[in-house]
């Protein structure tokens, strides 16, 4: 019976994976619990998979799944949680930004009855601009989203088995896990730690990627943008009505005037703008529906520790005959 499963999504992390693995094993060993480490290679272009193969061959408690291409961190975390067998699951990054030394503390809090333990980083050492943008985003999210998302609460967290099962039972393919974790509920506790710089390699989150991630988060958890479109429409309708009454009153009192060209153009342009924006919002939702109805698996597996072991054992089927297709549990 495995007590702790650690799920680690890795994308182009060959520079840091060994250092990370050593630190993690040291921290896990100190807890005295039985553990396994589930690495998920998210279609890395560097030597990450080779390293994972090596680690899995060396240690019985290391398992891995490797994707056929880059499917994104959300899919990697999903695959890792599906793989995990422990009675608690810890999700963490491979770049040592999530200090493994915090795991005993998380276990402690879990033993006190919490199903979700969030390690929440502060923003020391982060660019001023990025910190400000993140803060503004979280303020926006808190106003518009139906689930609560905490600033600085990344994906470094511990989940109990029943919380993991709850997350895995959600069928959507457009996964915004910060929202999913909050949606499932259960007793949750957060504690702060000081932000750590990446040990090596570079962050894969550029400005545009972050922006799209932000939009995803806002849209995938509510239909409030649609509500806003309805409100805008109602307000415009009411003001148009008032304006019309005012014009009629004016005609009755002062006789017919030549109407203004400027007023007309302004109204047309403003209204078309509102309509286009609304259409865009609707389009986003329709796109999401389209995406969900295709029912594609969130990732495709190229190899796992089990499949990589098979050819070596003399199956001789050729390394390209390993598990293609989605892995479901
Ligand atoms: N990651 C991933 N797939 C991706 C991008 C990132 O699995 O497409 C992993 C990456 O290997 C790391 C974690 O997600 O373990 C966080 O990535 P990163 O450090 O680049 O993000 P940041 O810490 O800057 O938010
Ligand atoms: Mg990082």
């Amino acid at each position: 019976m495995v007590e702790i499963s650690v799920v680690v999504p890795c994308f182009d992390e060959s520079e840091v994976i060994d250092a990370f693995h050593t630190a993690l094993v040291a921290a896990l060993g100190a807890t005295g619990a039985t553990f396994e480490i589930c690495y998920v290679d998210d279609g890395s272009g560097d030597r990450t998979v080779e390293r994972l193969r090596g680690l899995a061959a060396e240690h019985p408690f290391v398992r891995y799944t490797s994707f056929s291409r880059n499917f994104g961190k959300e899919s990697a975390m999903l695959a890792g949680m599906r793989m995990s067998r422990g009675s608690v699951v810890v999700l963490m990054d491979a770049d040592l930004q999530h200090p493994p030394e915090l795991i005993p503390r998380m276990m402690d809090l879990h033993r006190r009855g919490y199903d979700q333990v969030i390690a929440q980083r502060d923003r020391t050492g982060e660019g001023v601009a990025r910190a400000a943008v993140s803060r503004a985003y979280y303020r926006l999210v808190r106003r518009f989203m139906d689930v609560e998302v905490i600033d600085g609460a990344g994906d470094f967290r511990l989940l109990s088995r029943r919380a993991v099962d709850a997350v895995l039972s959600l069928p959507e393919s457009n996964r915004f896990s910060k929202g999913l974790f909050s949606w499932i509920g259960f007793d949750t506790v957060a504690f702060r730690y000081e932000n750590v710089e990446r040990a090596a390699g570079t962050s894969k989150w550029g400005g545009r990627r972050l922006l799209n991630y932000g939009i995803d988060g806002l849209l995938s958890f509510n239909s409030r943008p649609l509500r806003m479109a309805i409100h805008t429409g109602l307000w415009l309708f009411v003001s148009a009505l008032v304006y019309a009454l005012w014009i009629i009153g004016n005609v009755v009192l002062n006789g017919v005037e030549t109407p203004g060209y400027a007023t007309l153009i302004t109204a047309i342009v403003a209204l078309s703008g509102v309509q286009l924006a609304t259409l865009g919002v609707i389009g986003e939702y329709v796109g999401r529906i389209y995406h969900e109805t295709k029912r594609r698996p969130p990732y495709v597996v190229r190899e796992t520790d089990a499949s990589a072991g098979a050819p070596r054992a003399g199956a001789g089927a050729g390394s390209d005959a390993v598990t293609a297709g989605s892995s479901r549990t």
Side-chain angles (χ1 to χ4, degrees), residues 51-160:
R51 279 315 304 143
L52 294 184
R53 260 186 230 132
L55 289 173
E58 222 173 296
H59 309 286
F61 54 80
V62 173
R63 298 162 65 212
Y64 73 91
T65 296
S66 175
F67 289 175
S68 59
R69 65 168 172 86
N70 182 238
F71 281 92
K73 188 183 175 190
E74 300 287 340
S75 302
M77 288 198 298
L78 175 66
M81 282 191 278
R82 283 180 176 168
M83 253 167 106
S84 69
R85 299 180 288 205
S87 43
V88 306
V89 172
V90 177
L91 299 165
M92 60 195 302
D93 288 0
D95 55 5
L96 284 169
Q97 277 187 303
H98 295 165
E101 307 84 71
L102 296 179
I103 292 177
R105 189 158 162 208
M106 296 169 107
M107 284 299 286
D108 240 29
L109 286 164
H110 168 67
R111 279 193 207 100
R112 276 185 229 163
Y114 290 103
D115 281 280
Q116 295 201 51
V117 183
I118 307 171
Q120 183 186 2
R121 72 190 160 83
D122 56 21
R123 297 200 171 276
T124 46
E126 208 175 49
V128 184
R130 183 165 166 179
V133 169
S134 306
R135 257 194 226 107
Y137 173 70
Y138 279 103
R139 218 170 297 136
L140 187 80
V141 160
R142 222 168 297 139
R143 277 196 58 173
F144 282 100
M145 225 145 108
D146 301 333
V147 292
E148 180 155 8
V149 173
I150 312 168
D151 179 17
D155 298 316
F156 187 18
R157 59 176 76 212
L158 177 148
L159 300 172
S160 66

Side-chain angles (χ1 to χ4, degrees), residues 140 144 177 191 222 230 279 291:
L140 187 80
F144 282 100
S177 25
F191 66 87
N222 63 76
I230 296 177
L279 207 61
H291 188 86

Side-chain angles (χ1 to χ4, degrees), residues 219-241:
L219 288 181
S220 61
F221 264 89
N222 63 76
S223 43
R224 256 180 239 189
L226 289 174
R227 222 10 102 67
M228 244 162 63
I230 296 177
H231 287 182
T232 319
L234 280 178
W235 277 115
L236 280 173
F237 176 70
V238 169
S239 29
L241 209 68

Side-chain angles (χ1 to χ4, degrees), residues 205-279:
W205 295 88
R208 177 181 285 256
R209 203 163 173 176
L210 268 178
L211 179 69
N212 283 333
Y213 183 71
I215 293 177
D216 262 359
L218 271 180
L219 288 181
S220 61
F221 264 89
N222 63 76
S223 43
R224 256 180 239 189
L226 289 174
R227 222 10 102 67
M228 244 162 63
I230 296 177
H231 287 182
T232 319
L234 280 178
W235 277 115
L236 280 173
F237 176 70
V238 169
S239 29
L241 209 68
V242 171
Y243 187 53
L245 287 178
W246 186 68
I247 292 176
I248 292 172
N250 231 6
V251 169
V252 170
L253 294 180
N254 309 327
V256 178
E257 251 179 77
T258 349
Y261 167 78
T263 325
L264 210 61
I265 281 297
T266 313
I268 290 175
V269 170
L271 285 179
S272 333
V274 170
Q275 280 180 354
L276 281 179
T278 310
L279 207 61

